[in-house]
Amino acid sequence: MLQRLVHLLPPRVRAVLRRIPALVALYQWMRRGKLSGERYVFAALAVLAIGVGVATANDTRGLAPSGVLVLIVLGGGLLLKVRSLLALLVVVVGMVAYNAWLDVPAIGYGIVGTLMITAVLALSLARTRQKLGVQGLRGDSMLLELRDRLKRQGEMPELPDGWDSQVVLLQAGGSSFGGDFVVSASDGDTLEVALVDVSGKGTDAGTRALMLSGAFGGLLGSIQPDRFLPACNDYLHRQRWDEGFVTAVHVVVDLNTGEYTVESAGHPPAVQFDAGSGAWQVGSAKGVVLGVVPDLRCIPEHGTLRSGDALLLYTDGLVESPGSDLDAGIDRLLGEAERLVPQGFGSGAKELVETMAAARDDDCALVLIWRT
């Protein structure tokens, strides 16, 4: 196919191409073996680059599309491996040199500089994708799939009549990935929820959060509730991470009686709304952050959710500010949470997170469970 396309070029252009050793070697490389999917892409981009170079050389009206070479190089960075991209760059350089030899006005310092910058960017993209073992836009698709799976995993299971819940996740800087995530499980009689906060924010913490969400989600509901946080702690110890820390709060609710148990591993305290008194009460569950000590021991908190009561879980992104006391942040959160009661827990939860996170650049998460 490439040989036929080359024969379509003017004789003068073919004669010049045959004098360039790099292009001769490139042509021989293309003829060896069968054309794979990538070689078809390379062939199409190479022919397009040659076509643009020829059109620029023969342009007499100042309409030469020399800027298309920049798009060709960028497309090569997205779709080709490093070796094929280097071959494409040889073709592009050959066309630029050919036009410069003919003193084509369209080939100036501006287009050459732009091509050089684009080539560096394209090589960086190609190297990254080759290390990942994916080509084209498949890497971006994989990230989107991981993001969607993380969101689906954070959705609360369907609860029986008389119960409802709300989960709100807000990542720093509008990122699709963050260090806060939720895993939950329910068999119809018992609800288990874990809210986890990986230190850091945005994409930096998102990679660890993606891995942990799968591991913690597999543990939740598969082992005894009182062994969940110790099992998570053992898992983190086996990872031997040097960077950051992980906090978590684990809640088990009996959907028949309303009795619940809260265990915390270095996480901000859970808060219960008592419909009888109309007050929010800060919980007392305590524990060390995950992955620090080999034998994790937590002090649980027990309580009961009656009609109209609610249980609020949140991450430190909602209450912590540099130079401010944590208790002051919790007091402000509870003050804002007062508005949840008349508005209804479901409609006010997202507004509560957005209000509390407005002055902070951190990942924020909130889980609200209430009895109707």
Side-chain angles (χ1 to χ4, degrees):
M1 184 186 72
L2 187 63
Q3 187 176 12
R4 293 177 182 176
L5 291 172
V6 171
H7 280 301
L8 293 176
L9 298 174
R12 182 184 178 189
V13 176
R14 294 204 305 269
V16 172
L17 294 179
R18 291 193 185 101
R19 295 192 186 101
I20 303 177
L23 292 180
V24 174
L26 174 63
Y27 173 72
Q28 293 174 349
W29 171 71
M30 284 294 299
R31 292 192 64 184
R32 288 197 299 266
K34 297 181 180 179
L35 282 176
S36 63
E38 184 195 11
R39 293 199 176 202
Y40 275 118
V41 173
F42 167 79
L45 293 175
V47 170
L48 182 58
I50 293 173
V52 171
V54 173
T56 302
N58 293 278
D59 178 58
T60 58
R61 294 183 297 175
L63 301 177
S66 56
V68 178
L69 291 174
V70 176
L71 299 179
I72 293 173
V73 172
L74 187 58
L78 291 171
L79 302 174
L80 300 176
K81 295 181 181 179
V82 175
R83 181 180 177 184
S84 299
L85 177 59
L86 290 173
L88 178 63
L89 291 178
V90 170
V91 175
V92 173
V93 170
M95 290 298 98
V96 172
Y98 171 65
N99 283 276
W101 176 58
L102 295 177
D103 291 328
V104 176
I107 303 299
Y109 292 111
I111 188 65
V112 172
T114 304
L115 281 170
M116 291 176 63
I117 295 173
T118 307
V120 173
L121 176 61
L123 283 169
S124 177
L125 287 172
R127 286 195 182 99
T128 301
R129 294 176 185 278
Q130 189 164 310
K131 286 180 180 179
L132 292 173
V134 295
Q135 294 300 320
L137 301 178
R138 181 56 185 163
D140 296 331
S141 300
M142 290 173 61
L143 288 176
L144 290 174
E145 290 174 7
L146 288 172
R147 181 201 64 182
D148 292 341
R149 288 189 180 186
L150 185 61
K151 286 184 176 181
R152 287 195 298 269
Q153 194 169 19
E155 295 175 355
M156 296 287 282
E158 186 176 351
L159 300 179
D161 293 339
W163 292 91
D164 210 341
S165 62
Q166 183 80 16
V167 176
V168 182
L169 297 172
L170 187 63
Q171 314 300 358
S175 172
S176 297
F177 300 93
D180 298 345
F181 66 90
V182 178
V183 290
S184 57
S186 175
D187 59 5
D189 295 321
T190 303
L191 171 66
E192 280 192 70
V193 181
L195 176 58
V196 183
D197 183 1
V198 178
S199 63
K201 58 185 178 181
T203 307
D204 293 337
T207 52
R208 286 180 290 156
L210 282 171
M211 183 178 73
L212 291 181
S213 65
F216 289 8
L219 291 172
L220 195 74
S222 301
I223 59 176
Q224 291 298 319
D226 59 345
R227 285 295 307 157
F228 174 72
L229 287 182
C232 294
N233 186 68
D234 294 341
Y235 177 80
L236 281 172
H237 263 286
R238 292 195 298 271
Q239 305 311 305
R240 300 184 181 276
W241 284 350
D242 294 328
E243 71 278 10
F245 56 89
V246 178
T247 69
V249 59
H250 176 228
V251 178
V252 182
V253 182
D254 188 320
L255 298 175
N256 296 314
T257 65
E259 296 179 351
Y260 69 85
T261 300
V262 178
E263 288 186 318
S264 175
H267 206 82
V271 180
Q272 179 188 349
F273 174 72
D274 187 342
S277 63
W280 293 87
Q281 302 173 354
V282 180
S284 59
K286 296 180 181 179
V288 182
V289 297
L290 297 175
V292 174
V293 296
D295 185 16
L296 182 69
R297 297 184 181 275
C298 301
I299 301 176
E301 175 196 2
H302 303 280
T304 302
L305 293 177
R306 299 177 177 84
S307 179
D309 290 358
L311 192 62
L312 177 65
L313 314 176
Y314 54 93
T315 55
D316 58 9
L318 286 177
V319 295
E320 280 191 350
S321 296
S324 299
D325 185 69
L326 179 62
D327 292 336
I330 295 176
D331 290 340
R332 180 168 177 259
L333 174 66
L334 297 183
E336 293 290 340
E338 292 290 341
R339 296 188 298 161
L340 283 175
V341 181
Q343 292 185 32
F345 294 118
S347 59
K350 184 176 181 180
E351 182 183 348
L352 172 63
V353 174
E354 292 175 347
T355 301
M356 293 297 298
R360 297 174 175 84
D361 183 23
D362 199 358
D363 299 330
C364 301
L366 178 144
V367 177
L368 193 60
I369 305 167
W370 69 94
R371 198 168 186 178
T372 59

